[in-house]
Amino acid sequence: MKKIKKPVFFIVFLIIMAFSYTALFGIKHQYGDISKTYIKSVKDIRLGIDIQGGVDVTFTPADGVDATDEQLDSVKEVMKVRLASLGITDSNVYTDPNHDRVIVRFPWKSSESSFDPEAAVKELGGTAMLTFRDGSGSTTDENGETIPTGEIILNGEDVKEARGMMQPNSLGQYENVVALTLNESGTQKFSDATARLYSENGTISIWMDNTMISAPTVSAHITDGNAVISGSFETVEDAKALADKINAGALPFSLTTSSFSTISPTLGTGALEAMILGGLIALGFIAVYMIILYRLPGFVAVIGILGQISATLACVSGYFSFMNSSTLTIPGIAGIILSIGMGVDANIITGERIKEELRAGKKLNTSLEAGYSRAFSAIFDGNLTVILIAIILMGAFGVPDSLFAKMLSFIFRWFGTTTEGTIYSFGFTLMVGAILNFVMGVFASKLMLGSLSKFKAFKNRKLYGGVEK
């Protein structure tokens, strides 16, 4: 505590407040109709099926295809990738090999007041067969549907990566495009085609299934494996949706929707708002209780708890660039509440230890140092146990390619895979909250309290639960 200087409290306090503000409200920039999000807010958190509702859809192979178990597994994996690319972790995807079915459940987007389940199902089940063809010729089949006739130059397997983005066109105006990076085989094919068509002033049409989405004239010999799809996207989101389908890969066969239905939320929006209000009231009572019982350490603890809540919500919303956003479910909210309780408990343990040291007649600075030191082992043991349990929950109920599922695959592979996203969400928020107990409840609180104890106005031992000598 002796090394902690007076300004430290204000520095830590301002960092927590600034972080909490940006985590709750985010940072966005609006330019005309274009909105750019720099930092996501709590409004960007995707709510789970059990809170906001969602879609239940059953896919079956089209045209009477008798799918093998391997093909159904391939469809399932493609579905998972597409859901993950949309930031949806609270989803269930499973197969029914006996009836050649793939069943998918996924939540509505939190920002949508109305939801078109047919459009959502069409986007998820689209075959996304991307082809680059020589020329833009087409014909119609016996059903009157358009069929491309040009020779295939590239297909989806030749694409290494696709990205939805904005870039200036030849007129200097920004347009929405899908930027493609081709793999080695695709680079060579595209180089050969553009070399020939450039000399002929030809075109390369780009098709998604039987829909032509662009037909640019070849204006250069492209040898670096970078191509762009443009001219058909109204928004960046439209371009990103196509990029996500391309990245997810093609399905082994076309799918048809045999049934779909919307799922009513088990916790309506009104109930969610009531729960949030109740949580704020409870947090207020906790703050008053901590300040009355532990005084200055209690005040510092409240600041740390606010930082812990904000940081947990930031981890869920995708605030940090190195972390993907997660889906918040009712069990996930329970994980946040439980971790807050553990944070309060950690501060109570520390506060009581400080009181004991002061009542033993030790000096203020010595009591603070000893209080945090003696409390740490109990806090560490409790939170480490919770972190280990959370890791097991995330490994058991996460998608097979998640970090902890891979780590614990030697155990859970014997029980088959499961993707119960609601339980995964509980494990995620519980783990994050337990880790943040160390950051906010131990490290940040110690810095702030040690700093305040250097001010003459805060040297009174009564402010820490002791008796003034």
Side-chain angles (χ1 to χ4, degrees), residues 290-312:
M290 292 292 292
I291 292 173
I292 291 176
L293 190 62
Y294 297 102
R295 300 164 192 176
L296 195 59
F299 170 73
V300 169
V302 171
I303 298 175
I305 291 170
L306 290 176
Q308 177 184 330
I309 296 172
S310 300
T312 303

Side-chain angles (χ1 to χ4, degrees), residues 71-130:
Q71 288 176 321
L72 290 176
D73 288 338
S74 176
V75 172
K76 181 176 71 172
E77 292 306 314
V78 170
M79 292 292 183
K80 287 181 179 179
V81 173
R82 291 182 180 179
L83 288 164
S85 69
L86 296 173
I88 303 174
T89 58
D90 175 34
S91 61
N92 299 317
V93 182
Y94 53 96
T95 62
D96 179 8
N98 294 330
H99 300 90
D100 284 353
R101 299 187 304 174
V102 178
I103 299 93
V104 183
R105 300 174 75 246
F106 61 95
W108 294 13
K109 293 181 180 180
S110 59
S111 60
E112 291 177 334
S113 56
S114 60
F115 188 74
D116 185 352
E118 293 188 40
V121 169
K122 183 178 180 181
E123 178 180 355
L124 185 62
T127 53
M129 296 294 292
L130 178 73

Side-chain angles (χ1 to χ4, degrees), residues 157-428:
E157 295 179 352
D158 296 312
V159 179
K160 180 179 180 181
E161 181 187 14
R163 304 182 308 279
M165 57 186 293
M166 296 182 66
Q167 70 174 29
N169 57 22
S170 58
L171 299 178
Q173 301 173 335
Y174 277 87
E175 63 177 346
N176 305 304
V177 302
V178 173
L180 303 176
T181 301
L182 307 178
N183 57 30
E184 186 175 349
S185 62
T187 299
Q188 187 59 51
K189 293 177 185 177
F190 203 61
S191 176
D192 294 341
T194 54
R196 173 175 55 84
L197 293 172
Y198 174 54
S199 62
E200 300 174 359
N201 196 30
T203 61
I204 294 179
S205 59
I206 306 169
W207 297 74
M208 182 58 64
D209 293 329
N210 291 331
T211 301
M212 186 170 66
I213 57 178
S214 182
T217 300
V218 179
S219 57
H221 177 201
I222 301 175
T223 60
D224 61 359
N226 294 312
V228 171
I229 302 176
S230 61
S232 61
F233 309 107
E234 294 184 2
T235 65
V236 174
E237 286 72 22
D238 292 337
K240 184 179 181 299
L242 176 57
D244 289 339
K245 287 182 178 180
I246 295 170
N247 288 328
L251 296 167
F253 43 71
S254 298
L255 293 176
T256 182
T257 305
S258 59
S259 68
F260 77 87
S261 62
T262 57
I263 302 172
S264 298
T266 58
L267 183 68
T269 304
L272 176 62
E273 293 174 352
M275 184 171 62
I276 294 174
L277 178 60
L280 292 174
I281 293 174
L283 184 61
F285 278 116
I286 290 173
V288 172
Y289 172 81
M290 292 292 292
I291 292 173
I292 291 176
L293 190 62
Y294 297 102
R295 300 164 192 176
L296 195 59
F299 170 73
V300 169
V302 171
I303 298 175
I305 291 170
L306 290 176
Q308 177 184 330
I309 296 172
S310 300
T312 303
L313 294 174
C315 290
V316 175
S317 68
Y319 178 100
F320 302 102
S321 59
F322 59 87
M323 292 181 63
N324 294 325
S325 60
S326 184
T327 300
L328 187 62
T329 66
I330 293 177
I333 295 174
I336 295 175
I337 295 172
L338 181 57
S339 64
I340 292 172
M342 293 180 61
V344 173
D345 183 60
N347 284 282
I348 288 176
I349 294 173
T350 303
E352 290 295 335
R353 293 291 183 270
I354 293 173
K355 280 185 177 182
E356 290 176 3
E357 299 297 325
L358 289 170
R359 290 168 183 171
K362 296 181 180 180
K363 294 182 179 180
L364 176 59
N365 191 70
T366 304
S367 298
L368 295 178
E369 187 70 47
Y372 275 99
S373 178
R374 291 182 59 192
F376 181 77
S377 61
I379 296 171
F380 179 81
D381 291 343
N383 283 276
L384 179 61
T385 301
V386 170
I387 291 172
L388 292 175
I389 293 173
I391 289 174
I392 292 173
L393 289 174
M394 296 171 69
F397 298 101
V399 295
D401 59 350
S402 64
L403 173 61
F404 297 118
K406 290 180 179 178
M407 288 174 53
L408 301 174
S409 61
F410 68 96
I411 297 176
F412 296 114
R413 67 181 179 183
W414 302 106
F415 304 98
T417 57
T418 177
T419 54
E420 289 293 336
T422 54
I423 300 177
Y424 179 89
S425 177
F426 174 75
F428 178 78

